[in-house]
């Protein structure tokens, strides 16, 4: 795919989502496998400001791995940062430090040309409204319960942790988003129950019809995983990072109604309107206190969500 065909979504990202201005600096962070998207973003950004830089480094080994020190330093001193990378920088200290320093930042982990074209072809003002509607229903609840026909039945207690919005509109200093965007999420203080993923989850990608991944959560920690591949990935991380990798890290609700089909990309699929995603591992970048080098989201395609016993009206996307 040519850079020219990626120009339209790149323009949406740089202009509508990030609102880059001529007097600002912009850093595009990428790796060897995502260079075409990065170059499209760089081309649009360079039309707006001369203070634009393209930083490339070898792909990381896992999501949440810290970037090289020169990259971390560069993004901390930039006004706007876009990061199309193979492995996610969302849950890294480098990202947290950059946004705390005032950078407006969007990460695009695992982005492909197809996802870039599909996910950025959206009305982000509508997505912002969908986020606000979901947030109003859940933000004051002491208990959130999620069920599904596949067997999910899990209860979350957000406690004092704040619900966050990923609207794709990143116009104020220190704001952060994924792109493609569209979710409302929290890192709960605790959770108990059973999760049955039927949509997309690494290391599998999009699951086959009828295929599910089940795991059990007690007191906010994953205590058993039925799927061999997922269990082996988490166990491998635990061997180096300790038992904190079993942390139940996130509850998210998708609000991007432009995403009508799951494609096997967690980045895009977790944003599909009306879906729920639940993650294992790191949460220090989203309001929690666990810092580990994995963050594994699993998407539920047919969830029902209750906030203090009242059913939440979810955005409508056909997935």
């Amino acid at each position: 795919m040519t850079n020219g065909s990626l120009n339209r979504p790149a323009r949406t990202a740089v202009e509508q989502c990030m609102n880059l201005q001529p007097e600002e600096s912009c850093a595009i962070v990428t790796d060897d496998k995502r260079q075409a998207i990065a170059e499209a973003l760089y081309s649009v950004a360079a039309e707006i400001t001369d203070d634009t830089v393209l930083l490339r480094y070898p792909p990381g080994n896992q999501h949440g791995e810290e970037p090289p020190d020169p990259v971390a330093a560069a993004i901390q001193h930039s006004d706007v940062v876009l990061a199309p990378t193979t492995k996610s920088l969302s849950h890294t200290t480098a990202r947290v430090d950059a946004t705390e320093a005032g950078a407006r930042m969007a990460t695009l982990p695992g982005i492909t040309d197809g996802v870039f074209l599909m996910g950025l072809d959206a009305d982000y003002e509508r997505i912002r409204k969908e986020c606000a509607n979901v947030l109003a229903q859940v933000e004051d609840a002491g208990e959130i319960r999620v069920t599904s026909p596949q067997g999910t039945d899990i209860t979350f207690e957000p406690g004092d942790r704040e619900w966050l919005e990923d609207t794709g509109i990143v116009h104020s200093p220190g704001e952060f988003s994924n792109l493609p965007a569209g979710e409302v999420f929290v890192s709960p203080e605790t959770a108990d129950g059973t999760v049955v993923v039927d949509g997309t989850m690494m290391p599998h990608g999009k699951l086959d019809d009828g295929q599910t991944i089940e795991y059990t959560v007690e007191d906010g920690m994953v205590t058993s995983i039925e799927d061999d591949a997922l269990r082996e990935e988490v166990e491998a991380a635990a061997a180096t990072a300790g038992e904190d990798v079993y942390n139940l890290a996130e509850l998210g609700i998708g609000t991007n109604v432009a995403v009508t089909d799951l494609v096997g990309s967690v980045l895009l699929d977790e944003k599909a309107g009306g879906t729920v995603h639940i993650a294992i591992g790191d949460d220090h970048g989203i309001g929690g206190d666990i810092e580990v080098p994995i963050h594994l989201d699993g998407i539920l395609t047919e969830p029902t969500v209750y906030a203090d016993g009242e059913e939440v009206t979810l955005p409508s996307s056909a997935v």
Side-chain angles (χ1 to χ4, degrees), residues 108-150:
L108 298 83
I111 192 78
T112 64
D113 291 358
V115 169
F116 192 56
L117 288 164
M118 182 189 307
L120 271 297
D121 186 17
D123 180 354
Y124 278 95
E125 286 301 330
R126 179 178 176 189
I127 291 169
R128 176 152 58 178
K129 291 177 183 177
E130 296 286 0
C131 285
N133 180 51
V134 170
L135 183 63
Q137 297 178 76
V138 300
E139 63 180 339
D140 294 325
E143 180 181 281
I144 304 292
R145 182 184 176 204
V146 177
T147 65
S148 76
Q150 292 76 22

Side-chain angles (χ1 to χ4, degrees), residues 93-312:
T93 298
R95 194 281 296 168
V96 173
D97 289 346
T99 50
E100 287 183 349
R104 306 196 302 279
M105 185 165 175
T107 56
L108 298 83
I111 192 78
T112 64
D113 291 358
V115 169
F116 192 56
L117 288 164
M118 182 189 307
L120 271 297
D121 186 17
D123 180 354
Y124 278 95
E125 286 301 330
R126 179 178 176 189
I127 291 169
R128 176 152 58 178
K129 291 177 183 177
E130 296 286 0
C131 285
N133 180 51
V134 170
L135 183 63
Q137 297 178 76
V138 300
E139 63 180 339
D140 294 325
E143 180 181 281
I144 304 292
R145 182 184 176 204
V146 177
T147 65
S148 76
Q150 292 76 22
T152 295
D153 194 342
I154 183 168
T155 300
F156 304 84
E157 294 181 18
D160 293 330
R161 294 181 179 176
E162 181 182 2
W163 284 88
L164 303 172
E165 299 175 275
D166 180 26
T167 66
I169 303 296
V170 191
H171 291 183
S172 299
E175 288 188 333
F176 167 72
S177 178
N178 271 157
L179 291 177
E183 66 172 293
V184 173
F185 59 99
V186 68
S187 175
E189 287 189 354
T190 192
D192 291 275
T194 300
V195 177
V196 183
V197 176
D198 68 302
T200 299
M201 187 167 195
M202 299 307 290
H204 296 282
K206 184 180 177 182
L207 302 181
D208 296 331
D209 289 344
Q211 182 184 6
T212 58
I213 295 174
E214 180 175 336
Y215 59 88
T216 303
V217 180
E218 298 177 11
D219 294 328
M221 300 294 286
V222 175
T223 56
S224 67
I225 300 172
E226 301 303 319
D227 180 77
D228 291 341
L230 176 61
R231 183 174 61 253
E232 289 168 5
E233 183 160 336
V234 177
E235 287 176 347
T240 57
E243 295 301 300
D244 281 351
V245 301
Y246 291 95
N247 175 52
L248 199 286
E250 179 187 6
L251 165 63
I253 299 171
T255 60
N256 189 329
V257 293
V259 181
T260 57
D261 296 288
L262 302 189
V263 299
S265 164
V266 171
L267 171 65
L268 184 66
D269 293 354
E270 71 176 3
K271 309 305 192 311
T275 64
V276 157
H277 56 278
I278 300 169
I280 302 168
D282 185 273
D283 62 13
H284 87 288
I286 57 173
D289 54 14
I290 298 298
E291 185 172 356
V292 291
I294 64 167
H295 181 89
L296 300 171
D297 292 282
I299 291 107
L300 284 57
T301 67
E302 298 181 279
T304 301
V305 180
Y306 303 91
D308 287 340
E310 295 291 325
E311 185 172 347
V312 174

